[in-house]
Amino acid sequence: MTAVMWFRRDLRLTDNPALLDAVAAGDGKVAGLFVLDPALWDAAGDPRRDHLVSSLKSLSDAMGGKLVVRRGDPADVVPALAAEIDAASVHVSADHGPYGGRRDAAVEKALDCPLVATGSPYAVAPGRVLNGQGNPYQVFTPYFRAWLEHGWRQPVDAPAKVDWVGKRSDALPKVSLVEEAGEAAARAHWQEWLEGVAAYDDERDRPDLDSTSRMSVPLKYGEIHPRTMLADLARLRSKGAEAYRRELAWREFCADLLARYPEAAWNPLRQEFTTMAYDEPGDAFTAWREGRTGYPIVDAGMHQLAESGFMHNRIRMVVASFLVKDLHVHWKYGARWFMQRLRDGDLASNSLNWQWVAGCGADASPYFRIFNPTTQGKKFDPDGAYVRRWVPELAEIAGKAVHEPWLLPDPPAGYPAPIVDHAEARQESLRRYAAIK
């Protein structure tokens, strides 16, 4: 008897309940499968493709080189492999995303054996945290309290022994390999970063310190499970550990929202925002994407994104606010650009965080909270180190002056003047909001 373990957003062997079920169902014999699905691959940008392929190589190495990779529609590929090995069952971690649900329904219909879903990419699966009336939460703080009260299971070990069944495998695409991809790298990085988690609450908004965990990347690919991280955090007593636990809960709140409102991927949760007036994404949008807005903290963030496939979380909020509320461009254009360029691009976290900044999501930031990019730069990059690192035209400007280069007697050559006046843009943004209230 043999079982199929269909890996998706769980590219690891440890703390993977679906894998344990596959081992049990197959009496130890398991064919590990990953499907290169064109619907997902074609929509991903190069940073996500690079990390995915690198992570798959790491996973296959951990399986003795026996990961089966096949290209095509999962509704064709999964049943074909199951029939090829006369599988007793196919095992997965549940996917609560809009596309994942449709895909899994199609695969289940095409299979001649059971599709068994065990666990999910979350400590608490979407739909399980409900209020006293049995309804889902719309606001994060009560959700967070209920999430903590609900709790989660302890991590599980990797299976003691797996007889991996090797079958024909398609070659992985050629990409720029990422050295730190994979389960072992994720766990090592987490343990190293955890030693300084006590400082997280104080330093998390400081892009110049670069002291955030960057665990959003391995979480995206399931190289580590949040349950593993929460078990480690539970042994610590610090404001930093508490703040980090809250961030993990916010990630799960976003997933819960998208599972209930799949249209929220690209449409506002607050219906009044469907009539909001936005500008078409023209030259200003291009300047934003290329980091040529003339606002140093915004440009630094966009350069970091372009060059590294990552952006500090505080800066994500600043550049998102600038696009929506200074340039008056619909948030979905920024969200799509992020999904193309971010290595940790996750649909739920990305879209719902953009909606939070834009003011149109659940528990959203009040619309009048319009980040002043200059003030944000001075507050969170006080000496200008972050800007100087990512904007070479400003590298020679010392201290806070780097955040207002237009005030210098001799502004740096090659750096653009601000493309909008923030004060005027803010008033226009508030005017447009008043029209839909």
Side-chain angles (χ1 to χ4, degrees):
M1 191 172 279
T2 307
V4 174
M5 173 63 200
W6 176 17
F7 291 97
R8 290 102 69 90
R9 291 186 56 184
D10 52 353
L11 305 183
R12 65 185 186 280
L13 303 182
T14 304
D15 197 9
N16 193 335
L19 175 57
L20 293 180
D21 279 4
V23 172
D27 292 332
K29 296 183 67 176
V30 178
L33 170 69
F34 186 87
V35 182
L36 278 173
D37 181 353
L40 297 177
W41 179 264
D42 293 347
D46 288 341
R48 278 193 289 151
R49 292 175 179 172
D50 291 349
H51 196 97
L52 172 61
V53 170
S54 300
S55 191
L56 290 173
K57 286 180 176 291
S58 177
L59 178 63
S60 187
D61 288 345
M63 296 166 57
K66 291 188 177 180
L67 176 66
V68 179
V69 177
R70 292 189 180 175
R71 301 169 185 260
D73 185 336
D76 298 325
V77 174
V78 179
L81 178 63
E84 190 177 331
I85 64 173
D86 192 22
S89 49
V90 175
H91 295 261
V92 296
S93 295
D95 190 328
H96 295 272
Y99 171 74
R102 298 193 303 271
R103 175 202 59 203
D104 290 357
V107 170
E108 185 171 27
K109 184 177 180 180
L111 278 169
D112 290 328
C113 64
L115 178 67
V116 182
T118 309
S120 77
Y122 306 100
V124 182
R128 293 195 176 175
V129 176
L130 303 171
N131 63 22
Q133 290 71 47
N135 298 318
Y137 288 93
Q138 301 291 332
V139 178
F140 174 67
T141 297
Y143 170 89
F144 178 54
R145 289 195 292 264
W147 180 82
L148 288 172
E149 185 176 343
H150 181 283
W152 41 85
R153 295 180 180 178
Q154 288 298 305
V156 296
D157 294 331
K161 186 179 185 301
V162 185
D163 182 7
W164 295 108
V165 177
K167 288 292 179 180
R168 177 191 64 79
S169 186
D170 294 334
L172 287 169
K174 293 185 181 299
V175 299
S176 298
L177 294 180
V178 179
E179 291 183 3
E180 68 269 26
E183 179 181 5
R187 293 174 73 89
H189 175 74
W190 169 242
Q191 290 302 321
E192 180 181 358
W193 183 83
L194 201 59
E195 294 176 5
V197 70
Y200 177 75
D201 193 39
D202 294 327
E203 298 182 355
R204 60 183 175 147
D205 282 324
R206 291 282 301 275
D208 56 324
L209 300 179
D210 197 24
S211 55
T212 55
S213 73
R214 299 201 178 211
M215 291 302 295
S216 57
V217 176
L219 281 169
K220 155 69 183 174
Y221 301 92
E223 297 164 343
I224 191 170
H225 197 280
R227 185 174 46 223
T228 300
M229 300 164 70
L230 287 163
D232 289 337
L233 290 167
R235 295 191 285 269
L236 304 174
R237 296 292 181 269
S238 70
K239 288 185 177 180
E242 292 173 8
Y244 198 90
R245 187 182 299 112
R246 191 178 179 90
E247 292 301 311
L248 289 173
W250 176 263
R251 175 179 178 266
E252 306 212 341
F253 180 57
C254 291
D256 189 75
L257 286 171
L258 187 63
R260 286 185 284 117
Y261 307 110
E263 68 278 6
W266 307 115
N267 295 290
L269 281 172
R270 293 177 58 185
Q271 288 303 299
E272 64 268 30
F273 277 82
T274 58
T275 61
M276 184 78 166
Y278 293 104
D279 293 351
E280 288 299 312
D283 292 343
F285 180 56
T286 301
W288 177 83
R289 288 187 308 177
E290 296 178 355
R292 296 186 293 103
T293 69
Y295 285 93
I297 198 70
V298 174
D299 295 341
M302 300 309 291
H303 288 175
Q304 182 186 24
L305 175 63
E307 295 177 36
S308 71
F310 184 82
M311 189 190 297
H312 187 279
N313 188 59
R314 164 58 59 172
I315 307 304
R316 295 188 198 202
M317 292 189 285
V318 173
V319 304
S321 177
F322 188 84
L323 180 69
V324 177
K325 297 176 180 178
D326 283 70
L327 302 184
H328 315 302
V329 173
H330 196 293
W331 62 267
K332 67 183 179 183
Y333 293 103
R336 285 171 176 156
W337 182 249
F338 269 28
M339 287 298 287
Q340 279 292 309
R341 302 308 308 164
L342 282 169
R343 189 146 59 106
D344 64 7
D346 172 87
L347 184 63
S349 292
N350 186 59
S351 290
L352 273 301
N353 276 303
W354 269 92
Q355 291 213 41
W356 183 88
V357 173
C360 59
D363 202 29
S365 167
Y367 194 83
F368 55 77
R369 185 180 297 163
I370 300 173
F371 290 129
N372 181 318
T374 304
T375 303
Q376 291 283 308
K378 290 180 177 180
K379 182 176 181 179
F380 297 113
D381 185 24
D383 188 50
Y386 176 75
V387 166
R388 282 191 293 276
R389 177 181 178 185
W390 293 107
V391 186
E393 298 94 333
L394 305 179
E396 301 303 318
I397 302 175
K400 287 188 176 182
V402 77
H403 295 296
E404 296 175 291
W406 55 86
L407 297 181
L408 295 171
D410 186 18
Y415 188 69
I419 60 174
V420 293
D421 179 285
H422 172 71
E424 293 178 1
R426 181 179 185 277
Q427 290 304 313
E428 173 62 14
S429 197
L430 292 174
R431 185 194 67 77
R432 296 187 187 198
Y433 176 58
I436 68 167
K437 289 176 68 176

